Amino acid sequence: MFFSSFFTEIALFFSWVLYITSKHSLVKMTSAISFLILVAFVFHHARSTTITSDASSPEQPYRTAFHFQPPKNWMNDPNGPMYYNGVYHLFYQHNPFGPLFSNQMYWGHSVSHDLINWTPLELAISPTQPFDINSCWSGSATILPGNKPVILYTGIDSNNRQVQNLAVPKNSSDPYLREWVKSATNPVINLPNGIQHDDFRDPTTAWLGDDGKWRILVGSQKDKTGIAFLYQSTDFENWSTHESPLHEVAGTGIWECPDFFPVLVDSTNGADTSVLNINSRVKHVLKVGLFDYARDYYLIGDYSSVNEQYVPQNELTLGTLRYDYGKYYASKSFFDPVKNRRILMAWVNESDSEADDIAKGWSGLHSFPRSIWLDQNQKQLVQWPIEEIEMLHENEVGFQNTNLEDASLLEIEGITAWQADVMISFKLTNIQEAEKLDPSGVDPQLLCSEMNALKRGKFGPFGLLALATYELSEQTAIFFRVFQNKGQYIVLMCSDQSRSSTRVGLDKTTYGAFVDIDPQQEEISLRTLIDQSIVESFGGGGKTCITSRVYPAFAIGEQAKLFLFNYGRESVMISDLKAWSVKKARINIEETVMCTDQ
Ligand SMILES: *[C@@H]1O[C@H](CO)[C@@H](O)[C@H](O)[C@H]1NC(C)=O
Ligand SMILES: *[C@@H]1O[C@H](CO)[C@@H](O)[C@H](O)[C@H]1NC(C)=O
Ligand SMILES: *[C@@H]1O[C@H](CO)[C@@H](O)[C@H](O)[C@H]1NC(C)=O
């Protein structure tokens, strides 16, 4: 079996190389046909092979090394992230009894000193009371003056109504805040009149207005109009509804997990949630999760707590600004006072089947924490992996000024390709010869599917083939294409999962988005974090992000390779490349395992 698969791989590789390099159409056709036959063979082979493999942990090839996940079972939304007395806290939606979503959800809890290594603690909030007996859903933490953390969360009550509840630490001297006490006045906010019982959830972190009152938002909908209801309080127990919502948009369906925070107009630093618009130094971001589309959208605008008005500068439509154009939902941010930054994380769900999740014993990851700030042009946000990832870097490799000829492939060697951090800058010459594309009305995701990584263009596709087998029967292609329209350049970024695995029954949707940069003025940069079954990519210095989940059958552990590729007809220059292996972090490894492990 070893020999048969080995020779298949070699043959596949050569037929692919022949296909992309040959100019002669007969050779091209023959090589294409043999390539397809071989792919079919490998595909058949994959279906009849159980996935054991040569992975670092043979039974768990898809468990990640530096992404947050619980010791086992189901996880979804990040909840109540905060920094308190020297410790980072992260709570999460959790079914502690199985790998699938349940109608009894709990708050899992982990703590960290560096946002990289996490220690699991006991459940923080469990469904026990009439006001949350049918689930403890998402919510947020706020640190009140005098350094007092509180949590607001959604409970599903004994009548299956969504209501908002308050919880406080049992002992605020406990550095880990292990136990939380629910307020006797719960629910502190009841379902509003005229709102469906299951359309009222996910309170935000509170902010303080000019009048000294706290404000929060709660997501909702009425007749398909997405709503962010606004509430005010002086004591966190007695909340009053503001007469009009902070914002609403018709036709968008229920808004979940709203987030509302200031961003500085002149700095990449973050600001505490209560920083208001003093001397036009800040803008306010309203992020909402559109449940009907499982996507996080955001607005940038001006907020005044005096007249309680939020005026966004952009519209919320399906084609507008998103944190991430791949799999990335129910995100939440918090202000980190240690490094003066705002940090964002999100739930990245699985793309395999429920049966697969049962076999794995777990489901759901959180994205690697990102710093988030307002771009200089004030038109969009920028995201970048937090610098703490450098703690996990090893085996740096790199080079400069290397030409990637048309139809060429270059392996990035010397790092663990299945756990890696890669940064590349591409430089193009003669882009005035780029192909024409009128982007109006074009859905970039659709364009990426139609012009996938195997379709030759002029400038592009060029980029990375991640988690690839040596002969490329499996590959996740993250790439760019450059077009022009009326003297302007258009950069398209794609993440093509269609050949990411020879396994069937996976969601292999291709993702794509435009990157708002001018390739005449700046190089096109790509940073990609690769971790077993997740690929997170940052284009244009973090202006466009795409996250995907992939489950290779063969490109696992040492079998996983990483290539640069250029399948465009024009060559591109790699002006700079740096890549690292990323070591395994200690993420939610239970104490007993920890001891034997060390
Ligand atoms: C609160 O936590 C501190 C620190 O862990 C501990 O010393 C103290 O005994 C705790 N108080 C109570 C009432 O449990
Ligand atoms: C709650 O707040 C409202 C409005 O500020 C006030 O009228 C009411 O008396 C308060 N109720 C309690 C129980 O404090
Ligand atoms: C989770 O993943 C599935 C399959 O990839 C997708 O259809 C679904 O919308 C996702 N759900 C959420 C909430 O992200």
Side-chain angles (χ1 to χ4, degrees):
M1 198 186 89
F2 168 76
F3 282 104
S4 77
S5 85
F6 179 73
F7 284 117
T8 316
E9 292 188 5
I10 299 258
L12 256 172
F13 177 62
F14 281 109
S15 59
W16 189 82
V17 167
L18 250 176
Y19 175 72
I20 64 168
T21 53
S22 61
K23 307 267 190 282
H24 194 288
S25 66
L26 188 64
V27 178
K28 212 169 182 73
M29 207 163 82
T30 318
S31 55
I33 289 169
S34 64
F35 181 73
L36 287 176
I37 291 172
L38 285 159
V39 166
F41 176 83
V42 170
F43 181 71
H44 175 79
H45 184 71
R47 287 180 51 153
S48 55
T49 318
T50 42
I51 301 135
T52 44
S53 86
D54 313 280
S56 33
S57 51
E59 301 85 43
Q60 287 287 355
Y62 308 123
R63 227 181 137 78
T64 60
F66 59 97
H67 282 79
F68 185 92
Q69 52 185 141
K72 56 176 186 244
N73 293 325
W74 169 274
M75 174 178 74
N76 52 303
D77 312 1
N79 289 157
M82 66 173 162
Y83 179 79
Y84 174 71
N85 283 357
V87 178
Y88 292 101
H89 291 258
L90 178 57
F91 305 85
Y92 54 91
Q93 285 292 287
H94 189 36
N95 170 13
F97 304 112
L100 304 181
F101 183 76
S102 147
N103 51 19
Q104 279 254 299
M105 295 300 286
Y106 293 69
W107 276 45
H109 185 194
S110 296
V111 287
S112 173
H113 291 282
D114 54 17
L115 292 164
I116 296 289
N117 300 289
W118 293 91
T119 304
L121 299 177
E122 44 278 75
L123 296 165
I125 306 176
S126 303
T128 56
Q129 302 297 318
F131 52 78
D132 67 10
I133 193 72
N134 283 315
S135 269
C136 299
W137 276 14
S138 288
S140 305
T142 305
I143 313 268
L144 304 187
N147 204 22
K148 293 199 184 81
V150 298
I151 284 173
L152 287 168
Y153 70 97
T154 298
I156 302 188
D157 76 4
S158 46
N159 292 315
N160 276 316
R161 285 177 308 206
Q162 298 183 349
V163 297
Q164 315 314 323
N165 300 319
L166 175 68
V168 299
K170 186 168 184 186
N171 177 1
S172 50
S173 309
D174 169 12
Y176 293 143
L177 303 176
R178 285 168 190 261
E179 286 183 87
W180 290 79
V181 182
K182 298 170 188 173
S183 169
T185 60
N186 282 339
V188 293
I189 305 178
N190 262 309
L191 186 66
N193 286 335
I195 296 298
Q196 300 279 329
H197 69 98
D198 53 354
D199 282 345
F200 185 55
R201 54 182 176 269
D202 309 335
T204 61
T205 295
W207 72 95
L208 214 44
D210 290 312
D211 55 5
K213 284 190 195 161
W214 292 100
R215 277 104 167 129
I216 59 161
L217 303 178
V218 179
S220 187
Q221 73 168 334
K222 196 172 185 178
D223 306 325
K224 284 280 160 201
T225 293
I227 302 172
F229 280 122
L230 179 67
Y231 292 86
Q232 298 179 336
S233 173
T234 49
D235 59 5
F236 262 74
E237 295 205 329
N238 181 13
W239 291 91
S240 52
T241 320
H242 189 71
E243 65 256 24
S244 52
L246 185 80
H247 200 57
E248 56 187 354
V249 178
T252 51
I254 185 164
W255 289 0
E256 295 190 302
C257 302
D259 206 2
F260 189 61
F261 56 88
V263 282
L264 303 177
V265 297
D266 50 9
S267 166
T268 60
N269 285 345
D272 180 83
T273 313
S274 289
V275 169
L276 296 172
N277 195 10
I278 305 145
N279 306 326
S280 306
R281 271 193 62 240
V282 310
K283 292 206 172 276
H284 269 78
V285 173
L286 172 63
K287 183 281 290 192
V288 295
L290 300 198
F291 174 76
D292 293 350
Y293 306 90
R295 290 173 171 185
D296 276 2
Y297 286 87
Y298 68 90
L299 299 166
I300 299 171
D302 294 306
Y303 167 71
S304 155
S305 75
V306 176
N307 52 15
E308 216 61 281
Q309 242 185 22
Y310 181 60
V311 185
Q313 65 191 31
N314 60 313
E315 270 182 75
L316 204 171
T317 59
L318 290 183
T320 51
L321 296 170
R322 289 160 63 187
Y323 280 166
D324 190 295
Y325 297 86
K327 265 197 171 212
Y328 194 92
Y329 190 57
S331 65
K332 191 166 289 292
S333 73
F334 76 105
F335 175 65
D336 172 17
V338 183
K339 295 195 177 176
N340 270 315
R341 58 189 169 171
R342 183 159 286 273
I343 294 177
L344 175 72
M345 31 242 206
W347 170 38
V348 182
N349 82 343
E350 302 299 311
S351 295
D352 59 4
S353 68
E354 289 198 344
D356 293 325
D357 295 344
I358 291 166
K360 296 189 310 222
W362 57 270
S363 172
L365 304 177
H366 284 171
S367 57
F368 190 79
R370 304 172 179 178
S371 288
I372 181 167
W373 66 88
L374 184 65
D375 186 60
Q376 271 181 342
N377 72 13
Q378 299 185 23
K379 288 194 302 193
Q380 67 161 108
L381 299 172
V382 181
Q383 299 162 64
W384 202 239
I386 56 167
E387 62 190 18
E388 282 82 350
I389 196 170
E390 291 165 18
M391 292 167 44
L392 300 173
H393 279 171
E394 62 182 3
N395 306 333
E396 178 172 326
V397 299
F399 52 79
Q400 277 89 40
N401 301 329
T402 302
N403 217 35
L404 257 190
E405 298 297 332
D406 60 313
S408 70
L409 200 58
L410 182 61
E411 187 178 358
I412 301 173
E413 292 179 282
I415 58 164
T416 52
W418 61 97
Q419 263 170 241
D421 183 358
V422 196
M423 286 194 222
I424 318 162
S425 291
F426 297 98
K427 193 171 168 178
L428 310 184
T429 39
N430 302 325
I431 41 171
Q432 55 284 358
E433 281 157 34
E435 291 157 280
K436 291 202 164 49
L437 174 82
D438 181 354
S440 47
V442 170
D443 174 351
Q445 172 162 338
L446 223 52
L447 189 59
C448 286
S449 310
E450 285 159 7
M451 302 186 73
N452 63 45
L454 294 183
K455 296 251 168 66
R456 293 200 82 170
K458 202 159 190 182
F459 288 97
F462 60 85
L464 278 177
L465 299 179
L467 295 172
T469 47
Y470 195 65
E471 82 308 330
L472 306 176
S473 58
E474 293 184 321
Q475 50 165 283
T476 295
I478 306 105
F479 62 86
F480 298 102
R481 291 177 187 274
V482 179
F483 304 98
Q484 61 176 315
N485 182 46
K486 303 184 185 116
Q488 302 240 309
Y489 292 97
I490 299 147
V491 178
L492 178 71
M493 174 174 166
C494 306
S495 184
D496 175 1
Q497 282 68 241
S498 58
R499 278 162 298 278
S500 59
S501 177
T502 49
R503 290 178 54 194
V504 293
L506 304 171
D507 175 359
K508 297 179 188 173
T509 306
T510 288
Y511 306 117
F514 293 117
V515 192
D516 187 16
I517 55 169
D518 180 354
Q520 266 183 320
Q521 305 296 324
E522 57 181 308
E523 297 181 353
I524 300 175
S525 76
L526 174 65
R527 181 171 187 184
T528 297
L529 306 183
I530 302 158
D531 188 5
Q532 322 284 353
S533 65
I534 182 169
V535 178
E536 281 187 81
S537 299
F538 303 80
K543 282 186 156 185
T544 299
C545 308
I546 305 182
T547 297
S548 64
R549 296 298 309 278
V550 293
Y551 310 83
F554 297 100
I556 291 171
E558 308 236 327
Q559 304 305 308
K561 309 291 174 201
L562 179 62
F563 297 94
L564 287 158
F565 82 108
N566 175 18
Y567 198 27
R569 289 189 300 273
E570 297 283 338
S571 67
V572 298
M573 169 78 87
I574 313 271
S575 59
D576 192 32
L577 177 141
K578 280 197 184 65
W580 297 266
S581 297
V582 180
K583 288 181 285 192
K584 195 172 164 61
R586 301 195 69 84
I587 295 182
N588 293 328
I589 297 166
E590 278 165 318
E591 303 291 325
T592 48
V593 183
M594 236 184 215
C595 298
T596 54
D597 221 12
Q598 276 170 346

